Amino acid sequence: MNVNKKFLAMAVLCTIASVGFVLPASAEETMTHDLDEVIVEADRDALPGGLVRTTAKLGILGDKSVLDIPYSEMSMTQKTLALFDDPSQPLANVLQNNPSIRSSTSSPMYTDFSMRGINMNGNHMMLNGIPSLFYQFTTPPSHIIDRIDITSGPNAGVNGVSMSNNGTNSGATPAPGTINIVTKKATAKPITSYTQTFSGRGNAGEYIDIGRRFGKNGEWGLRVNAEYMDGGLSLPGAEKNEKNLFFNLDHKGEKSTTNLFAGYFDLRVNGGQRWFQFKPTTAYKGDSLPGAPDSKKNYDFSGTTKYVHGYLMTLNHEQKMNEDWSWFANFGQSRRSGNKDNQGSALKFDENGNFTGNQFNQQNESGKNVYAQIGIAGKVMTGAVKHNLALAVDRSWAKYWNNSKSYDPNGGTILGNLYDGIIFPDNYQLENFGSAKPQWEETNVGITIADTLEYGKASLLLAASRKHENFENLTGGKSFTNNNTLPTYGITYKPVDNLAFYAGHTESFSRGAVVKNDDKYTNKNATLDPVKSKQTEIGIKYANAGILTTFSYFDIDEANRYDIDAPGNKLTTVDDGKNRYKGLELTVNGKLASKWTATGGLMYLNAKRENTKEGLKDGMFVTGAAKWSGVLGLEYTPDKNWGIVGRAVWNDKAFIEDTGSKGKYEIPSYVTFDLGVHYKTKINTVPVKFSAMCYNLTDKDYWMGRGGSSTFGLSMPRTFMFSAQFDL
């Protein structure tokens, strides 16, 4: 992107932000606008325009106003999903409406994205407040989601203990925030909805959504959601097949609320390999990656697949003991099994685009996660200070099985070229190398205490989790215990009701990472030590005239853990100091005018390494992390039946390091555009909503950086999506 385009993007976003600061409105008007018909039906807590909520979850302290939470918080609604989601694409496609998040992949074979420059995936998502029910290949399917609470800030000490898994081998990375998915519940109005979707080159989906309340005063509610999807993606030769069935049963009594969510899932993605790694020859003197190839190019052999099936459930209960005190309990469990057959995690190519040193990879894997929490919460007064207290004890347990093998298929070599396509040896055969074997087991037990002290116009959040971790590497024969305290504290000052100044800090520990059980690693099955991570944020939040604006400064560090080249075309996983992420973030959401709604923002990120071995890489860039990025989504509704939707996503240039030659190579900047339309009508007496969306409107080919990694993704081609929703 040239300088003029940068200034244009910044000017547009800053102009939007200024609207929220200039237009007059009283504090009373700010958060209580009369909402139009669509918003009322979707979410009464939503800002005007209906894309973002005014409340979100503050860990064990429950739902709070976004203005009272001392870190960046954005709660996306069902409407945001309805406007921007394509179920055949990763959920990160919607998450990147938050400026702190950038998708690291366009393929549904992965779920990776970055938050404030740090790589994350499905492992970092919570479901109804329960952690670690998903992993790198899976995220919650969008059709079960009621809202998404995105915390890009210091909140580790208010959520209880959890795993910090990252990747199929569950290497540990403390997350820069959390993403909590809240599932759909039955509403007062009966729901019977049938939706059909069509996208890509033949991917068709069918969705059933049924909700009813029953019993005295509708105290019981049942919501059932089901999906069947099958067919080709916009990438020729790739396809996604997904089947699932979920139900949500809830009860609302005079003194208690209970919610049970459970279901079965079956997901397969055939093809869609999109990870690459640049391995130039010693003669290469360039400073940039070779140009991105045609994104319609397929790099899969005929048997490339990734498959997982299993079940999951969550149970949440809250019981009032009196007007001020209640106790709560949360439980969750997931079990999954699957396999993967592909040409390694990332295809390596040289400066001419020739593939080099690539091997075939097969994995059988399985995982089980169980979580339980019980606690109390209440309010007390000490003089003029009001305390909002919570105390919880929880236990998180996980076990992982894997059997992995990398090899040259049929004794041959994977050849071909980035621009011409991949060539596999003739008559290659998949090996039957056995079922998954136990790899590691981890148990975390902890106690969390939190207090929000309110006095006048100020509130102080004090929280801490005492965590006892027991980790056992079942293949390397090494185990360890790790006892630590994770503090979180923050302060919010509101001179008026619609303006908040805040600051927050937290600390967290990664658990010891396990190097992959793979012969290509010289230290396979090794266990790396836990590393402490710190995070600080200060900012301002302003709600005015239907617009909520947040501006923040953040400072995060994390372990610098990566693979280096070793003799014999092998790899070694190493720890080398820390990555430090400092930045500024602007988020804007709400209604600009009677017919215009906006969501988006801008982020500046200065990510560098420190405390590296002998200081050799201190001050160097963090691989894959762009300095500037932004997003702007707009909806224009000329009348109550029509809507036009547009979105621009911008990533500035980033850099990667060739760990073999220490070269610095640029990942060029890119801008993508999405454009769509939706229309509500009736067929006879049946309300119908038709939607059409085009993703990557200009069919741009581009590389996608991955925070903290020397690997990078390739874009998917232009994708059309059509849907029809029938409310029966």
Side-chain angles (χ1 to χ4, degrees):
M1 173 179 273
N2 60 36
V3 174
N4 290 334
K5 288 184 179 180
K6 288 185 183 180
F7 278 113
L8 177 61
M10 292 174 62
V12 171
L13 289 165
C14 291
T15 300
I16 294 172
S18 68
V19 175
F21 282 93
V22 174
L23 293 179
S26 68
E28 189 175 63
E29 292 174 336
T30 302
M31 307 299 274
T32 59
H33 276 270
D34 291 332
L35 305 180
D36 61 47
E37 180 181 359
V38 174
I39 301 171
V40 170
E41 291 178 353
D43 196 330
R44 291 183 180 273
D45 288 332
L47 282 167
L51 298 181
V52 173
R53 289 166 46 93
T54 60
T55 59
K57 187 174 178 63
L58 183 59
I60 62 174
L61 291 166
D63 285 357
K64 302 288 183 182
S65 168
V66 170
L67 289 174
D68 294 328
I69 296 176
Y71 38 75
S72 296
E73 187 80 39
M74 180 178 177
S75 182
M76 295 180 179
T77 65
Q78 286 186 50
K79 182 178 178 181
T80 301
L81 285 161
L83 292 183
F84 296 100
D85 178 57
D86 175 2
S88 71
Q89 299 187 53
L91 187 60
N93 189 48
V94 177
L95 297 178
Q96 65 181 348
N97 278 14
N98 183 305
S100 71
I101 294 178
R102 280 294 156 269
S103 178
S104 302
T105 179
S106 56
S107 168
M109 187 171 272
Y110 312 94
T111 66
D112 294 64
F113 57 93
S114 66
M115 179 182 285
R116 293 181 169 175
I118 299 175
N119 191 58
M120 299 173 66
N121 55 47
N123 275 299
H124 297 102
M125 294 186 179
M126 306 171 76
L127 185 69
N128 294 328
I130 308 300
S132 304
L133 299 183
F134 299 93
Y135 79 126
Q136 190 184 29
F137 183 35
T138 61
T139 58
S142 58
H143 69 100
I144 70 168
I145 298 175
D146 178 68
R147 77 177 203 246
I148 307 175
D149 292 342
I150 301 174
T151 301
S152 39
N155 72 330
V158 299
N159 294 309
V161 303
S162 63
M163 308 297 171
S164 38
N165 303 343
N166 184 9
T168 52
N169 65 321
S170 297
T173 300
T178 56
I179 296 178
N180 181 44
I181 306 294
V182 180
T183 55
K184 292 179 179 178
K185 300 176 178 62
T187 60
K189 181 180 179 181
I191 296 172
T192 306
S193 175
Y194 171 72
T195 302
Q196 288 185 322
T197 64
F198 181 88
S199 66
R201 294 173 174 264
N203 184 276
E206 295 182 280
Y207 302 85
I208 295 174
D209 185 359
I210 300 173
R212 294 289 188 276
R213 300 211 70 86
F214 51 94
K216 184 180 179 181
N217 299 320
E219 61 183 342
W220 290 91
L222 179 63
R223 189 81 173 257
V224 178
N225 292 98
E227 174 188 28
Y228 182 87
M229 176 195 293
D230 188 31
L233 305 175
S234 57
L235 174 66
E239 60 182 18
K240 182 178 181 180
N241 315 123
E242 187 166 17
K243 302 181 285 292
N244 54 61
L245 174 63
F246 296 97
F247 74 87
N248 195 103
L249 178 67
D250 73 280
H251 178 262
K252 299 178 181 179
E254 292 183 4
K255 294 185 177 182
S256 68
T257 59
T258 305
N259 192 84
L260 173 64
F261 175 81
Y264 173 81
F265 57 91
D266 184 292
L267 171 64
R268 181 183 294 277
V269 176
N270 296 323
Q273 180 85 8
R274 300 273 98 180
W275 285 128
F276 294 88
Q277 190 168 14
F278 186 43
K279 290 293 183 181
T281 65
T282 55
Y284 182 62
K285 303 301 181 183
D287 57 6
S288 183
L289 292 180
D294 185 349
S295 57
K296 297 183 182 65
K297 187 69 65 178
N298 190 309
Y299 299 98
D300 305 303
F301 70 100
S302 59
T304 299
T305 189
K306 203 170 185 181
Y307 173 65
V308 66
H309 65 96
Y311 69 87
L312 59 85
M313 63 87 65
T314 65
L315 177 64
N316 311 97
H317 179 79
E318 183 176 357
Q319 183 77 41
K320 290 185 66 174
M321 296 183 287
N322 54 43
E323 289 301 315
D324 294 324
W325 287 90
S326 62
W327 66 268
F328 58 88
N330 300 296
F331 177 81
Q333 180 171 319
S334 70
R335 182 66 192 258
R336 68 178 191 274
S337 297
N339 67 281
K340 178 175 71 173
D341 301 319
N342 70 344
Q343 53 275 29
S345 58
L347 279 170
K348 304 177 186 68
F349 64 89
D350 65 19
E351 66 271 23
N352 297 313
N354 295 319
F355 295 125
T356 175
N358 294 293
Q359 291 184 310
F360 187 73
N361 177 260
Q362 286 185 271
Q363 287 189 40
N364 290 328
E365 64 173 350
S366 182
K368 184 176 182 179
N369 289 68
V370 181
Y371 177 86
Q373 180 186 66
I374 188 167
I376 58 173
K379 303 173 183 178
V380 298
M381 297 291 297
T382 56
V385 178
K386 179 182 178 181
H387 297 262
N388 301 280
L389 293 162
L391 173 68
V393 178
D394 47 8
R395 183 182 189 273
S396 184
W397 174 85
K399 189 171 183 178
Y400 180 67
W401 295 260
N402 181 278
N403 196 353
S404 179
K405 185 176 180 61
S406 295
Y407 56 93
D408 293 332
N410 202 32
T413 304
I414 298 175
L415 300 174
N417 184 276
L418 189 65
Y419 306 103
D420 299 325
I422 197 164
I423 301 173
F424 275 80
D426 293 335
N427 303 318
Y428 66 87
Q429 293 183 352
L430 303 183
E431 293 190 3
N432 183 10
F433 60 95
S435 59
K437 301 174 183 178
Q439 300 294 304
W440 56 260
E441 185 173 355
E442 178 182 0
T443 302
N444 288 304
V445 179
I447 182 169
T448 300
I449 185 169
D451 184 9
T452 301
L453 300 85
E454 299 178 10
Y455 178 76
K457 297 179 179 181
S459 64
L460 177 66
L461 169 65
L462 299 174
S465 288
R466 178 63 179 174
K467 178 179 177 181
H468 176 78
E469 177 183 40
N470 181 28
F471 177 79
E472 185 175 2
N473 184 341
L474 301 175
T475 58
K478 180 179 179 181
S479 63
F480 65 82
T481 58
N482 180 33
N483 300 315
N484 53 72
T485 300
L486 314 180
T488 294
Y489 47 87
I491 186 169
T492 302
Y493 177 71
K494 297 168 64 177
V496 291
D497 288 345
N498 63 328
L499 175 65
F501 299 91
Y502 70 91
H505 175 83
T506 196
E507 298 176 11
S508 59
F509 274 85
S510 71
R511 70 159 172 75
V514 180
V515 179
K516 291 182 179 180
N517 179 22
D518 194 321
D519 290 337
K520 70 180 178 182
Y521 285 89
T522 61
N523 58 340
K524 73 172 185 176
N525 298 324
T527 305
L528 304 181
D529 292 334
V531 178
K532 178 186 286 189
S533 175
K534 297 180 180 180
Q535 185 175 177
T536 301
E537 179 178 337
I538 58 174
I540 179 173
K541 300 178 184 180
Y542 186 57
N544 191 15
I547 298 174
L548 176 62
T549 303
T550 301
F551 183 70
S552 61
Y553 165 80
F554 58 87
D555 185 348
I556 313 169
D557 64 35
E558 65 151 1
N560 182 25
R561 191 168 279 160
Y562 59 96
D563 294 340
I564 62 173
D565 293 329
N569 198 30
K570 290 182 177 290
L571 298 171
T572 302
T573 301
V574 298
D575 272 331
D576 188 17
K578 287 191 173 186
N579 295 332
R580 188 81 175 268
Y581 304 83
K582 298 180 181 180
L584 298 170
E585 184 178 297
L586 171 70
T587 303
V588 181
N589 291 284
K591 207 154 191 174
L592 302 179
S594 61
K595 297 180 180 181
W596 288 91
T597 302
T599 182
L602 187 70
M603 183 177 70
Y604 168 76
L605 178 65
N606 183 15
K608 294 183 178 180
R609 293 173 239 182
E610 56 184 37
N611 301 324
T612 60
K613 186 177 181 180
E614 299 179 354
L616 294 178
K617 297 183 179 180
D618 286 2
M620 289 185 64
F621 60 91
V622 173
T623 57
K627 278 189 176 293
W628 289 93
S629 60
V631 59
L632 176 60
L634 290 171
E635 182 192 27
Y636 173 66
T637 51
D639 58 44
K640 65 178 183 180
N641 294 323
W642 282 96
I644 300 172
V645 184
R647 182 176 64 174
V649 178
W650 165 48
N651 256 10
D652 197 11
K653 63 184 178 182
F655 295 93
I656 60 170
E657 177 191 11
D658 179 359
T659 55
S661 65
K662 300 181 182 179
K664 175 182 177 182
Y665 307 112
E666 178 184 310
I667 302 175
S669 64
Y670 64 86
V671 181
T672 62
F673 299 95
D674 307 321
L675 184 64
V677 62
H678 56 85
Y679 174 64
K680 293 189 298 182
T681 186
K682 286 187 177 181
I683 298 179
N684 293 326
T685 60
V686 177
V688 183
K689 181 179 179 180
F690 295 102
S691 299
M693 193 76 171
C694 180
Y695 301 92
N696 192 7
L697 181 67
T698 61
D699 200 23
K700 186 174 181 61
D701 307 319
Y702 56 94
W703 297 120
M704 307 172 70
R706 186 186 187 201
S709 174
S710 61
T711 63
F712 45 90
L714 175 64
S715 60
M716 292 282 270
R718 180 192 295 120
T719 300
F720 292 98
M721 194 273 289
F722 306 94
S723 71
Q725 176 180 314
F726 302 85
D727 296 321
L728 305 174

